[in-house]
Amino acid sequence: MRLRRIVLFTLFAGLSAAIGSAADWPRFRGPNGNGTSEDRNVPVTWSEKENILWTAAIPGHGNSSPVVWGDRLYLQSASKDGKDRWLFCIDTAGGKIVWKATAPGHSGKTHNKNTLASSTPAVDGERIYAAFWMATRCNCLPTP
């Protein structure tokens, strides 16, 4: 399985730099859904050597945008064949994967620039919500 590398920069670098005082980024495009933050001193430029806090190898493929709650970052990914869908919890201080939830899925057609993990999770402080196209019920959730 090919590993992809994520590099957290700009907004996430700013959020992680001041964990105690940074605002949560609980959904796609942030708290208000408009892609803005009240945080100040957020980097607006970056390179391989500038404004990068850490990088992390994340298994699979995905276009999911990360969300942040407190000192945790959540991100979705999927195996290339689509049989496994993942929700990762990553420590914002150093990029270590804290846990991974798995949901079985099925293969499906996607655009060549898309993946089977394109949805962005959402978090409300109590639960993390993740939608996976063509995935079956996660074995970690109770069945009704």
Side-chain angles (χ1 to χ4, degrees):
M1 177 178 320
R2 186 175 72 117
L3 293 178
R4 65 185 170 119
R5 305 221 19 111
I6 64 170
V7 178
L8 301 179
F9 46 84
T10 62
L11 178 64
F12 300 106
L15 291 175
S16 297
I19 294 295
S21 64
D24 293 321
W25 195 262
R27 66 180 189 163
F28 182 70
R29 296 181 54 85
N32 297 316
N34 64 6
T36 64
S37 172
E38 297 294 321
D39 290 337
R40 300 292 176 234
N41 301 319
V42 176
V44 293
T45 62
W46 63 90
S47 69
E48 290 183 21
K49 296 179 183 177
E50 178 187 26
N51 291 326
I52 301 294
L53 292 177
W54 48 264
T55 62
I58 305 297
H61 303 271
N63 293 337
S64 166
S65 293
V67 296
V68 176
W69 191 274
D71 63 351
R72 298 292 187 247
L73 180 145
Y74 303 95
L75 181 71
Q76 292 177 225
S77 189
S79 61
K80 188 164 182 130
D81 64 8
K83 291 183 180 179
D84 292 303
R85 313 297 168 87
W86 302 298
L87 174 65
F88 289 96
C89 173
I90 302 167
D91 176 50
T92 60
K96 179 182 176 189
I97 295 174
V98 177
W99 54 260
K100 171 178 78 170
T102 302
H106 305 282
S107 183
K109 277 191 159 190
T110 62
H111 186 275
N112 64 356
K113 293 184 178 181
N114 204 355
T115 71
L116 292 168
S118 293
S119 298
T120 296
V123 60
D124 65 8
E126 292 183 31
R127 294 180 181 90
I128 300 109
Y129 304 89
F132 291 104
W133 178 68
M134 290 186 66
T136 58
R137 181 177 284 271
C138 176
N139 60 6
C140 59
L141 300 176
T143 54

